[in-house]
Amino acid sequence: MSNNASHADNQQERLEKIPASMASYFSGFVDGEGSFNVALIPRKEYRFGWKIYLTFNVAQKDPSTLKLIQKYFGAGRLEQRKDKVWNYSINDYESLNNIVIPFFEKYPFLSELKRKNFAIFKEIVEIIGKDGHFTKDGLEEVILLREKLNEGKGRKRKYSIIDYKKSQESSETIRQTSAIPMKI
């Protein structure tokens, strides 16, 4: 058995030790205060010029519940922002895949919108788990799914599918131009 399988087993055991009433409370708390995010970040050193950055986070002025979630999940970071709001986040793939997703599958959200966003996030995590984002089609699938995540008022994105497509068009133009033989 590999270390990763063993690590995943330990995480599953940790989740099973959360009392059901506490787990249900966490699920309800995150239903109201949490979010699943997928950032698109330009990176010249990446094959297609973009990095996908996954995050599960919960923000609150009182850190008490966030500390409990962090303790029971055994993962993530808790930081106080400049506005004095506390932010608990998990952004490493292993913890998202082996802790966050199984937890919210076992303790599902009640609100339709959070269930929808979780399903989209889970699908993106699955694509990344299969290295799908390392292909052009897979990366585009992730970006298209991301466009459906957290739809509505107040959603702010620095980069969108439009930025990605423009970057791919300009990259294609550069490749085609450099393939044209130069006259001497």
Side-chain angles (χ1 to χ4, degrees):
M1 185 183 287
S2 74
N3 285 340
N4 286 343
S6 171
H7 185 63
D9 290 344
N10 290 341
Q11 290 172 330
Q12 289 298 332
E13 289 172 19
R14 175 183 292 278
L15 291 178
E16 289 174 15
K17 290 182 180 178
I18 302 174
S21 60
M22 183 73 70
S24 294
Y25 173 74
F26 290 163
S27 181
F29 187 82
V30 171
D31 200 343
E33 303 296 332
S35 65
F36 299 95
N37 301 293
V38 178
L40 185 60
I41 304 167
R43 290 287 186 264
K44 290 179 184 177
E45 67 275 13
Y46 279 59
R47 183 175 184 185
F48 301 110
W50 295 90
K51 176 182 178 177
I52 300 294
Y53 188 78
L54 306 170
T55 307
F56 158 70
N57 76 299
V58 191
Q60 191 71 23
K61 286 185 179 180
D62 179 351
S64 305
T65 301
L66 304 178
K67 287 177 182 178
L68 279 174
I69 295 171
Q70 183 183 36
K71 175 185 168 190
Y72 280 109
F73 279 16
R77 257 187 347 257
L78 183 61
E79 300 171 317
Q80 189 173 31
R81 303 182 320 209
K82 290 178 185 177
D83 62 359
K84 303 295 184 206
V85 171
W86 287 88
N87 186 60
Y88 171 63
S89 63
I90 296 178
N91 55 29
D92 69 280
Y93 175 81
E94 293 301 321
S95 296
L96 291 168
N97 190 51
N98 297 320
I99 297 171
V100 175
I101 297 218
F103 179 83
F104 291 113
E105 285 176 330
K106 186 172 181 177
Y107 298 97
F109 299 110
L110 295 181
S111 72
E112 186 177 328
L113 184 58
K114 193 68 72 180
R115 282 194 314 263
K116 176 188 171 214
N117 286 327
F118 175 67
I120 293 167
F121 186 80
K122 180 181 167 190
E123 193 172 345
I124 292 169
V125 169
E126 288 171 0
I127 293 167
I128 289 172
K130 296 174 184 171
D131 292 336
H133 63 302
F134 292 134
T135 67
K136 188 169 181 136
D137 288 343
L139 179 59
E140 287 179 10
E141 184 179 3
V142 166
I143 294 169
L144 287 170
L145 284 166
R146 174 187 177 264
E147 290 294 311
K148 298 176 184 177
L149 191 63
N150 303 317
E151 288 180 315
K153 272 181 129 175
R155 179 177 90 170
K156 295 177 186 172
R157 295 235 164 103
K158 192 169 185 176
Y159 300 103
S160 71
I161 186 78
I162 295 166
D163 298 302
Y164 167 75
K165 287 187 181 230
K166 282 181 185 176
S167 75
Q168 298 311 295
E169 288 168 7
S170 61
S171 295
E172 186 59 31
T173 303
I174 291 167
R175 282 191 292 277
Q176 288 174 0
T177 305
S178 60
I180 298 171
M182 295 180 68
K183 293 182 182 180
I184 299 178

